[in-house]
Amino acid sequence: DDAVAFVRESADECVLVVAARGITMVDLGDELPDDAVLIEGSVAFDGGRVAIAGPSFAAWQLPGVALPEWTS
């Protein structure tokens, strides 16, 4: 009820955003790759969980999505 998380994807990059109204713990499991870069926000990690002191948001830059080749 206090948080929303979403991913915006392109061929070049993905951005994972977590926004929270209050203190929130988001379970990302193993979904956050090792090369993810925190580009905004202040978070604490505990295993696969991210703690956010709200109201605030955090954003990670992730590698792009491999697009399928187009065949005609």
Side-chain angles (χ1 to χ4, degrees):
D1 292 342
D2 289 330
V4 63
F6 61 92
V7 174
R8 297 290 298 188
E9 298 176 305
S10 75
D12 298 324
E13 70 179 353
C14 295
V15 176
L16 166 64
V17 176
V18 178
R21 294 190 304 185
I23 297 172
T24 302
M25 185 73 75
V26 178
D27 187 358
L28 298 175
D30 295 330
E31 300 301 318
L32 196 60
D34 293 337
D35 56 353
V37 177
L38 182 65
I39 55 176
E40 181 67 40
S42 176
V43 299
F45 292 97
D46 179 18
R49 300 184 314 170
V50 176
I52 299 174
S56 65
F57 73 95
W60 290 265
Q61 182 178 16
L62 308 171
V65 176
L67 299 176
E69 289 188 32
W70 176 260
T71 58
S72 53

